[in-house]
Amino acid sequence: MASITTIYHYDNGDEFPVEWAETEHAGQSYHWDAQHTPFACTPLATDYLAEALSQLIQRGRPQSQVSAAPPMAPPLMAHPHGFMYIAGNPDSLPNSVVKAIQEDPASIGLQVSGLLQTWETEYAPQVRSACLELQNEDYSSTAISDLPGRLRNSFSQAIKGWNATMNGLRPMIASHLQLLLFCREEFSEDADELANVLEHGFANATSSAHIALWKLAQLAKDSPPVMKLLHADRGDGIFADLTAGPGGTAFLEGHTAYLEQYGFRGDGWFELSTPTPKENQSVLLEQLRQMLDNDEPDPELAVALSVRLRQETTQRLRDSLSGKPEKLAEFNRVLEGAKQYVPVKEDRGLWQLTVPGSLRVPCLAAGTLLADHGALDSADDIFYLHLNEIEELAAAPAQGEWRQLVATRRKSHEAHKASNPPANFGGEYQAGATQPQAPDETSPLMAGEVLKGIPASAGVIEGRSMVVRTLQEADKLEAGDILICNSTSPAWSMLFSRISAVVTIGGGPLSHTAIVAREYKIPCVLDVKGVTVKIQDGMRIRVDGSKGTVELV
């Protein structure tokens, strides 16, 4: 069978070619996973995500479908130009869990009952161990001929850590869906909103990171000398002077403690080229400056509000079931399971960001070794090569046009940072592939035009829109702004006490963005096609998180 290439387009009109290994594969529809790849990954990161997400896709398909797939069947995922695309129905995993709950609720309930304990005592230690091993990798005495093998071993260790985060995925989703299904059956109120309220207000890694950062900012705020140094825009250079002034030692100790806990947490799910807070501490200092300049409130206040609302709602619903002892017992059972959902999900999120942050250590070590041998100009050039290309380079470091290839890929990657790929390709979308998006899909939002998405956190708010594509652009957000972005990760959570609403291209009701928006009680609309193009900085918009709509005021 001959391969074919179909030309799709970025939203800026640039070509987005998709090469099909088999002609028949073009009949399969693929959907951009904007939640996990909101922007293009570099080539080396693409190798990591391809292996990691293959685990997710496999777990999301019934084993009968996986084993029965014909040898030449289209792949379950594709990753053209560093973006992740998933074949078929992206909701297959939640749907299969719903079916399992309906067919065998007792078995599912048993799996859910020990979810948090199993995560904390078995799975989390596995991923922590994998990350520590990666963080302590030392390539200094490695022969260049041995480098590809060592790097592949590091990737295998990272995938081992990723796999540990995927253990317990189905019981975790079931812990949420059990409660949601019960609310839909027994209560006349908005079941989705009830489930959201009942699941929040529990300690979790994401809120804990935000609270820790806020407390670190308060240590700076309480010390004028530290505040002066923090705003001196000297980057990492402030640390040498901190011990000289009052409050400096306390701030340094808090800073060190924060980095020990969150220093290797990246801001994207798979990207390897972005420096971590441990490596580039000026990023953390900028986050502290933003938090102080916007006088952001204590995030524990939002958590306390969630706790109070959950407790009041729980008691009210129990009272409504007081005449139905069997239903009350079932409610208490699914409620007990659901309280594990956010803690497990967000702790998984922390580690899923920490794995690539940890894998960055051996990648940079390998890049340094190649640069020392004259094969690359700088250590971070390595992120623009695939693993198989690194093998070729290590075998003949003085041959080939690797520098030119790296330069070309850097330029292309930078050029498309502000562009979105096609939302879909293949199958039913194949016929219209040759044409760029219609003007009404890329032109600014007009009066009377309504954008629609998934309602993920209730409430209606009007405010100024700000489009933020990466966390490094977050400094333009001011208190009360509405965040418009492709997607968020746990590293973005410190923004949620600053903004009044969030609208994204990616994500769904079970996504991190939805969970944090509910915790902070701000409206959230997800899966809004083209929103980062249709909405521009400074627009006055209305976001309805109950209806899932966005429009100009």
Side-chain angles (χ1 to χ4, degrees):
M1 298 288 182
S3 64
I4 62 170
T5 299
T6 306
I7 303 299
Y8 294 85
H9 293 85
Y10 289 95
D11 57 12
N12 67 353
D14 288 353
E15 291 187 350
F16 187 94
V18 175
E19 184 175 346
W20 305 95
E22 304 290 340
T23 303
E24 289 78 2
H25 290 182
Q28 171 67 62
S29 298
Y30 290 84
H31 311 275
W32 173 32
D33 182 0
Q35 177 183 345
H36 292 106
T37 56
F39 48 84
C41 290
T42 49
L44 195 57
T46 301
D47 289 346
Y48 169 62
L49 77 87
E51 178 60 28
L53 275 189
S54 69
Q55 306 291 329
L56 176 63
I57 300 301
Q58 292 289 345
R59 291 168 188 247
R61 303 299 174 99
Q63 187 58 40
S64 59
Q65 290 185 15
V66 175
S67 58
M72 301 305 291
L76 297 177
M77 65 176 187
H79 42 85
H81 313 292
F83 293 96
M84 177 56 59
Y85 284 80
I86 299 175
N89 179 13
D91 296 323
S92 59
L93 177 55
N95 291 343
S96 69
V97 175
V98 168
K99 183 178 180 181
I101 292 172
Q102 293 170 337
E103 293 179 349
D104 192 359
S107 177
I108 293 294
L110 187 62
Q111 294 176 37
V112 167
S113 63
L115 172 64
L116 182 58
Q117 181 180 3
T118 302
W119 166 256
E120 292 179 339
T121 60
E122 294 184 29
Y123 305 146
Q126 292 174 20
V127 65
R128 183 181 295 109
S129 175
C131 288
L132 286 174
E133 184 167 327
L134 290 168
Q135 293 164 17
N136 291 301
E137 286 272 21
D138 182 5
Y139 280 38
S140 60
S141 59
T142 301
I144 194 168
S145 59
D146 296 332
L147 184 146
R150 283 210 61 183
L151 191 57
R152 285 196 178 275
N153 287 340
S154 296
F155 267 69
S156 296
Q157 188 69 12
I159 297 304
K160 179 180 177 181
W162 165 267
N163 285 340
T165 72
M166 300 307 297
N167 290 327
L169 176 63
R170 289 175 66 87
M172 184 199 75
I173 294 176
S175 69
H176 162 73
L177 293 177
Q178 281 186 145
L179 177 63
L180 178 61
L181 293 173
F182 183 91
C183 290
R184 287 176 177 174
E185 292 173 359
E186 297 300 324
F187 304 121
S188 58
E189 303 172 51
D190 184 336
D192 292 75
E193 181 60 21
L194 279 180
N196 293 340
V197 169
L198 294 171
E199 288 171 340
H200 284 79
F202 294 103
N204 64 82
T206 299
S207 61
S208 294
H210 188 184
I211 292 167
L213 186 65
W214 187 86
K215 289 183 175 179
L216 183 58
Q218 301 317 297
L219 288 175
K221 186 177 181 180
D222 293 340
S223 172
V226 174
M227 284 288 286
K228 184 178 179 179
L229 286 169
L230 196 60
H231 285 84
D233 196 23
R234 291 171 50 197
D236 295 358
I238 75 166
F239 294 108
D241 298 329
L242 278 174
T243 54
T249 300
F251 178 82
L252 277 175
E253 290 175 351
H255 177 266
T256 300
Y258 183 88
L259 288 180
E260 286 178 355
Q261 186 74 19
Y262 307 106
F264 285 96
R265 184 182 71 170
D267 59 17
W269 299 104
F270 300 105
E271 185 52 56
L272 303 174
S273 66
T274 306
T276 61
K278 186 85 170 182
E279 181 185 348
N280 181 6
Q281 296 179 30
S282 61
V283 174
L284 176 59
L285 296 177
E286 177 58 31
Q287 292 175 348
L288 291 170
R289 280 192 287 268
Q290 293 174 27
M291 189 170 279
L292 291 164
D293 291 345
N294 286 278
D295 195 24
E296 294 179 15
D298 185 350
E300 289 187 298
L301 297 176
V303 175
L305 178 59
S306 290
V307 171
R308 185 169 70 252
L309 185 58
R310 169 173 53 81
Q311 291 173 340
E312 292 172 352
T313 303
T314 298
Q315 189 57 53
R316 177 170 57 80
L317 295 176
R318 281 174 172 158
D319 290 344
S320 72
L321 295 171
S322 59
K324 305 175 181 178
E326 291 184 358
K327 290 296 182 182
L328 178 58
E330 184 180 355
F331 177 59
N332 287 331
R333 178 182 64 79
V334 297
L335 200 61
E336 189 67 18
K339 75 179 185 181
Q340 306 170 95
Y341 174 61
V342 171
V344 171
K345 184 173 178 62
E346 293 307 291
D347 203 43
R348 289 174 68 252
L350 167 64
W351 287 110
Q352 286 175 344
L353 295 179
T354 302
V355 171
S358 303
L359 178 57
R360 179 175 162 83
V361 174
C363 288
L364 279 176
T368 298
L369 187 62
L370 289 169
D372 289 345
H373 280 75
L376 297 175
D377 288 329
S378 62
D380 65 351
D381 283 351
I382 196 170
F383 299 114
Y384 296 88
L385 297 173
H386 289 288
L387 281 170
N388 64 313
E389 294 171 335
I390 293 170
E391 290 180 350
E392 294 180 37
L393 177 57
Q399 300 177 15
E401 299 179 352
W402 299 108
R403 287 183 175 84
Q404 183 58 47
L405 178 62
V406 167
T408 300
R409 286 177 176 172
R410 272 187 185 273
K411 184 177 180 180
S412 177
H413 188 261
E414 189 67 28
H416 290 118
K417 271 187 176 179
S419 304
N420 293 324
N424 308 279
F425 65 73
E428 60 188 290
Y429 308 100
Q430 185 77 350
T434 58
Q435 299 299 320
Q437 295 184 51
D440 63 338
E441 295 179 353
T442 57
S443 59
L445 188 66
M446 303 293 290
E449 185 179 2
V450 179
L451 302 180
K452 296 183 178 180
I454 297 173
S457 181
V460 180
I461 197 74
E462 296 179 1
R464 184 183 73 157
S465 62
M466 294 301 290
V467 180
V468 177
R469 290 189 175 272
T470 68
L471 197 54
Q472 287 68 41
E473 299 175 4
D475 58 339
K476 66 181 181 179
L477 281 171
E478 297 180 359
D481 283 346
I482 296 174
L483 172 61
I484 310 295
C485 59
N486 283 10
S487 181
T488 74
S489 72
W492 290 57
S493 298
M494 56 106 178
L495 303 177
F496 280 65
S497 60
R498 188 185 317 172
I499 61 177
S500 60
V502 57
V503 183
T504 72
I505 289 180
L510 304 184
S511 69
H512 161 79
T513 306
I515 286 176
V516 179
R518 294 167 197 149
E519 191 76 70
Y520 286 86
K521 302 296 181 292
I522 61 174
C524 175
V525 182
L526 307 176
D527 196 29
V528 182
K529 182 180 179 182
V531 69
T532 57
V533 177
K534 300 288 292 181
I535 302 291
Q536 299 179 343
D537 285 353
M539 286 183 168
R540 186 77 181 172
I541 62 173
R542 178 186 296 113
V543 176
D544 189 327
S546 302
K547 295 181 179 178
T549 59
V550 183
E551 58 189 319
L552 288 176
V553 176

